[in-house]
Amino acid sequence: MFTSTAVLAADLDYYRDVYPFLKANCISCHNKTTTKADLNMETPELMIKGGESGPAIIPGKGSESLIVTASLHTKDMEMPPPNNKSGAVNLIPEQIATLQAWIDQGAKGSVMVERAVVLQAFSASIDPIYSVAMTKDGRYVACGRSNHIYVYDMATRQFVAQISDPAEKNGAAHRALVQSLSFSPDGTRLASGSFREVKIWKLAEGKPMASAAKTSSAPASADLIKKIATAGKVTVLSSAMSADGKQVVTGCEDGSVRVWDAATAKPVIELRGSVAAAKKMAELDWVIAAQTLEQAFQKSEITRIEAQDKALDILLGKAKEAIVAMNKVLPEKQKAVPPTTEAKTTAQKAVDEVAAKIKALPGGKPDAALEKELKAAQEKLITAKMTEVSALAAVSATQSNVKDAEDDLKRITDSKAVNAKVVAAANAAIAAAKTVQDKATADLAAAKLALTKTTAKPIAVSFSADALRVASMFDDGSLRVWGTATGTPIEESAGSAAAITTITSAPDGSFVASKSITQSAGTSKQWALERKIDQKGLFADRVNAVRFSPDGKTLATGGGELSRSGDIIFFDVATGKATQTWKEKHADTVLCLDYSPDGKRLASGGADKIARVTDSATGKQLNLFEGHTHHVMGVAFRSDGRVLATAGAEGTVVTWDMIIGERKRKIEGWTKEVTSLQFIGATNQIVTSAGDNRIRIVTDDGTEVRAMANLPDYMQAAVSAPNGSAIIGGGEDSILRVWDGAGKELVAFGAK
């Protein structure tokens, strides 16, 4: 009725003329994933097949086709329905006319022409942080702002690099928004995911700037050194002032390097130790935490077994009582059988006697009296037989009850024996963990004590130009650099360089010989693009998740086509080649990934509200978890692999027991989407970010540890240092914030 002659005369193409308005207003509810009324409208063939109400289109009969009548709101049908959640609107008359004309022409399909996606430049105001990643040692943090990537040094708490691709404009890393980031286990690579591409960046050591002008920190005045020595009770061997004159660093006789406030001579921070020592202490911290977690797990197993044993003890008591009770009544039941058998025999004899009398009569015909006598005898026999059967059944039932109770007794006893072995193994595991933990604790204490007994003397000290680093040369030839904000040793070089000897002569004929050693440390790190993965057709849309395997050899990526499929693709890091492709692992796009600590399992979460755990080698599904009512925004394995945590856009975190494959705890308390989560080191604590303007830390059993609340904007991502000493979060306001373990904000980094 709306069809014009021009439209009818045109040769209509499905993907060019019809598909665009169907996609905008119909296919959002009638597609492969969301097939309402069992109708998929993505292709002409599927519409001809139809759904619950029959074919949606009848080729050649546009006015009779269901899709046309529904669009016209006739026959009590109104499509799309009013106030629908997809934002679909009614087709306009011209669109309905085109649809009807296309059906009248035979509803022919066509080939979809792939349209190139042209990405426009971002507005300066669009710079949200969607992803944050931290190196395994907690040293560096990277965040994606808009299509840029920034790296920060947590030791010095400063911005250190903007990673950029020379092929992109304005120092950008990608053409589109940075959706995902992941550092390799050794911290030398960073993977970033964006629209239809993944990039791998490689870290390389920078070289000292030989051509740059070199400056030395001026030594502190004698009066200031005297004041510091008196107030701090130290012997100063060397000193240097910061460029702004506000701080002084001293090398002391006790082997320490100390930073002081120049105005008050009060200590700011004491610097000790080496990179190797710090790494060793971090490893010991991890061991202590891991063994604490192990002991807690084994104790929970013992508690569970003890509760199980209590229930078994009750059942065991009942089984024993049943055996005693049944054995008590069994003799009586057995004693009741012989009389019933005797009564049956007597009744049978009486029947036989009457039958014999009848048989002896002429013609074998009984009179009425004998018939009556026979009937009475037969009735007594039936009664006697039933009585015997009942008596035998009572004996059999009692014996069966005894056997069942004895079987229960054995089963319960066997279960308790197994439980006893489990408890013994758990106690042994606790003892072993305690032994390892005690040794690690002692080693850590010894390592800390060793720092205070350094024999090498700091013979020269210096600030960096920005005073964020301090360097010291020791008399053993070693050169060490610390971050002044945290006291973390960050660089060092051993004193292995050979001394260069020079001899100069004076006019009076005398000579002076001098030796000098040149060493360098603290050079800047350079991130360079190692590989770009963007082959045509490889990624359907945004790469929402990237994750290195624990051995650093494989990179897993997650994405897919919105509302249609969730794909996971694996790449060999060394070559960039795809090694596995899991098409449609989820029914909707994959949003998050995490490897188990041993690398054998991969957890994934998607917009289909599902979390899956898959064998990373074979692709076989191991677990399917349905505990969320909205997108699964984050997945994370605990350090022992026994617990998986998942974050939901409905505002909950769910923890899953990976031993039994069931839900452990549903944790609530958020009012908006939980956008990311990560276990903190080798603990049961989980750091989360959420849309309710909070960074929140909870345990995997639901206890809240602390929350950084009332933040300015929606938080998209959060990570933690392995020992929980630093929590980092970012979100829509583009600010990367750093808190200490107690929740105090230490620094906030804006966009550079």
Side-chain angles (χ1 to χ4, degrees):
M1 62 184 63
F2 294 106
T3 305
S4 67
T5 302
V7 170
L8 283 172
D11 187 9
L12 297 172
D13 180 272
Y14 172 68
Y15 280 111
R16 182 191 65 206
D17 302 312
V18 180
Y19 181 77
F21 60 78
L22 291 185
K23 181 180 180 181
N25 302 293
C26 306
I27 294 177
S28 58
C29 292
H30 299 282
N31 57 66
K32 177 182 177 181
T33 304
T34 309
T35 316
K36 292 190 176 180
D38 201 27
L39 174 61
N40 188 334
M41 297 178 62
E42 292 178 307
T43 67
E45 293 78 12
L46 289 170
M47 286 186 281
I48 293 172
K49 179 181 177 183
E52 293 176 357
S53 301
I57 59 177
I58 304 172
K61 299 181 179 180
S63 61
E64 298 178 25
S65 293
L66 181 63
I67 187 174
V68 174
T69 58
S71 300
L72 292 170
H73 298 178
T74 59
K75 297 184 178 180
D76 298 324
M77 295 191 71
E78 185 176 353
M79 289 293 160
N83 302 319
N84 61 83
K85 295 181 179 180
S86 299
V89 298
N90 294 332
L91 301 186
I92 61 176
E94 290 80 0
Q95 291 171 336
I96 298 174
T98 299
L99 177 62
Q100 182 173 336
W102 170 71
I103 297 173
D104 286 337
Q105 292 175 5
K108 297 177 183 179
S110 61
V111 178
M112 180 183 286
V113 178
E114 184 176 347
R115 292 179 173 84
V117 176
V118 180
L119 297 173
Q120 302 297 320
F122 290 103
S123 167
S125 62
I126 300 177
D127 55 359
I129 296 175
Y130 283 161
S131 54
V132 176
M134 176 180 273
T135 54
K136 190 176 181 180
D137 62 3
R139 173 73 187 277
Y140 294 103
V141 170
C143 74
R145 285 192 184 93
S146 185
N147 57 342
H148 297 263
I149 299 175
Y150 300 88
V151 181
Y152 301 87
D153 187 341
M154 291 297 102
T156 59
R157 294 180 190 153
Q158 68 175 145
F159 165 78
V160 292
Q162 180 177 345
I163 300 176
S164 61
D165 182 347
E168 305 296 344
K169 297 178 180 179
N170 301 320
H174 289 273
R175 292 168 295 166
L177 293 172
V178 178
Q179 301 289 340
S180 49
L181 291 169
S182 177
F183 279 104
S184 61
D186 63 3
T188 62
R189 286 184 170 91
L190 176 67
S192 56
S194 185
F195 180 74
R196 293 182 179 174
E197 67 179 10
V198 167
K199 293 182 180 180
I200 299 178
W201 314 85
K202 185 73 183 292
L203 178 64
E205 293 287 344
K207 295 181 179 180
M209 300 176 67
S211 61
K214 295 179 176 64
T215 59
S216 300
S217 297
S221 67
D223 289 342
L224 179 55
I225 293 301
K226 183 177 180 181
K227 186 177 180 182
I228 288 173
T230 301
K233 297 180 180 180
V234 294
T235 300
V236 178
L237 302 178
S238 55
S239 68
M241 297 294 296
S242 61
D244 60 7
K246 294 182 178 180
Q247 291 182 320
V248 59
V249 58
T250 62
C252 304
E253 177 69 27
D254 62 0
S256 68
V257 175
R258 308 187 187 208
V259 178
W260 312 80
D261 181 275
T264 63
K266 290 183 178 180
V268 175
I269 193 167
E270 183 174 336
L271 310 174
R272 288 183 182 268
S274 62
V275 173
K279 181 180 179 181
K280 181 61 177 178
M281 288 191 288
E283 291 172 351
L284 292 170
D285 273 333
W286 183 279
V287 171
I288 292 168
Q291 298 311 313
T292 299
L293 189 64
E294 176 67 16
Q295 291 175 71
F297 168 76
Q298 297 297 348
K299 288 176 182 178
S300 70
E301 283 294 281
I302 292 173
T303 300
R304 181 181 66 82
I305 294 297
E306 288 175 344
Q308 191 179 92
D309 277 347
K310 286 183 180 180
L312 288 174
D313 285 339
I314 295 173
L315 295 176
L316 187 65
K318 290 181 179 180
K320 289 179 178 179
E321 290 173 0
I323 291 172
V324 171
M326 292 299 103
N327 281 330
K328 185 176 182 180
V329 300
L330 181 59
E332 297 177 5
K333 304 288 185 182
Q334 293 171 329
K335 187 177 180 180
V337 173
T340 62
T341 302
E342 184 179 348
K344 182 191 73 172
T345 302
T346 301
Q348 182 66 54
K349 184 177 180 182
V351 171
D352 292 344
E353 288 176 352
V354 175
K357 289 179 182 180
I358 294 173
K359 185 177 181 181
L361 292 175
K365 294 182 179 180
D367 56 18
L370 283 176
E371 284 183 346
K372 184 177 180 181
E373 185 179 354
L374 178 62
K375 184 177 181 181
Q378 289 173 333
E379 289 176 349
K380 287 182 179 180
L381 177 59
I382 292 171
T383 300
K385 286 182 176 181
M386 292 179 64
T387 302
E388 183 191 39
V389 169
S390 296
L392 290 170
V395 171
S396 178
T398 303
Q399 291 174 330
S400 179
N401 288 338
V402 171
K403 187 177 184 306
D404 288 345
E406 289 174 342
D407 289 344
D408 286 343
L409 185 65
K410 184 178 185 307
R411 184 171 60 253
I412 294 167
T413 302
D414 290 346
S415 294
K416 284 178 66 66
V418 171
N419 284 353
K421 291 180 180 179
V422 173
V423 169
N427 280 319
I430 290 172
K434 185 69 165 57
T435 299
V436 174
Q437 184 183 50
D438 288 346
K439 184 179 185 306
T441 302
D443 289 347
L444 181 60
K448 290 180 178 179
L449 181 61
L451 294 181
T452 66
K453 297 182 177 181
T454 304
T455 57
K457 309 299 183 184
I459 57 176
V461 291
S462 178
F463 278 105
S464 61
D466 56 11
L468 295 177
R469 293 177 174 82
V470 162
S472 175
M473 187 73 180
F474 289 81
D475 59 5
D476 63 358
S478 62
L479 176 63
R480 297 175 186 173
V481 182
W482 295 267
T484 52
T486 61
T488 304
I490 56 179
E491 300 287 346
E492 62 191 5
S493 65
S496 58
I500 299 174
T501 303
T502 59
I503 301 176
T504 58
S505 62
D508 63 358
S510 62
F511 294 91
V512 176
S514 61
K515 289 185 178 182
S516 65
I517 296 175
T518 301
Q519 290 178 226
S520 63
T523 55
S524 61
K525 302 291 192 298
Q526 305 294 326
W527 289 91
L529 179 62
E530 180 181 42
R531 183 165 289 107
K532 179 179 180 180
I533 305 173
D534 65 345
Q535 294 91 324
K536 185 176 181 180
L538 187 60
F539 301 116
D541 205 282
R542 292 170 293 181
V543 180
N544 301 305
V546 289
R547 186 73 63 184
F548 283 95
S549 60
D551 62 8
K553 295 180 180 179
T554 302
L555 179 69
T557 66
E561 189 174 354
L562 291 171
S563 80
R564 287 186 57 80
S565 67
D567 305 331
I568 299 174
I569 307 174
F570 299 84
F571 298 91
D572 179 79
V573 174
T575 64
K577 294 182 179 179
T579 57
Q580 287 191 80
T581 300
W582 296 348
K583 284 290 185 183
E584 301 185 8
K585 176 60 73 172
H586 286 257
D588 206 337
T589 186
V590 173
L591 299 173
C592 48
L593 297 170
D594 193 35
Y595 274 99
S596 61
D598 60 8
K600 294 180 179 180
R601 295 168 291 170
L602 182 72
S604 56
D608 58 358
K609 311 172 189 176
I610 299 294
R612 283 181 165 83
V613 178
T614 308
D615 185 294
S616 56
T618 65
K620 179 183 178 182
Q621 181 173 288
L622 303 176
N623 305 93
L624 187 151
F625 296 129
E626 298 179 285
H628 294 283
T629 59
H630 212 311
H631 297 359
V632 178
M633 307 288 286
V635 290
F637 277 103
R638 202 169 71 181
S639 64
D640 59 4
R642 294 182 176 124
V643 174
L644 177 74
T646 57
E650 75 283 355
T652 67
V653 167
V654 180
T655 56
W656 307 90
D657 187 324
M658 296 306 299
I659 297 175
I660 60 177
E662 295 180 359
R663 189 174 78 177
K664 174 181 170 73
R665 187 64 59 90
K666 180 179 181 180
I667 307 170
E668 299 179 314
W670 293 269
T671 58
K672 290 185 179 180
E673 298 93 330
V674 182
T675 53
S676 75
L677 52 71
Q678 175 211 320
F679 275 97
I680 298 177
T683 73
N684 69 338
Q685 294 185 10
I686 307 167
V687 60
T688 67
S689 60
D692 59 3
N693 302 27
R694 283 190 299 169
I695 299 294
R696 186 182 179 206
I697 300 173
V698 297
T699 63
D700 57 23
D701 61 4
T703 303
E704 180 170 305
V705 178
R706 71 179 55 84
M708 283 65 89
N710 302 317
L711 298 174
D713 215 328
Y714 191 108
M715 301 304 291
Q716 292 279 13
V719 293
S720 167
N723 61 0
S725 60
I727 307 296
I728 298 93
E732 291 294 329
D733 66 354
S734 193
I735 304 296
L736 188 72
R737 292 178 170 83
V738 181
W739 298 268
D740 65 14
K744 177 184 176 182
E745 185 175 301
L746 301 174
V747 63
F749 298 108
K752 290 286 183 179

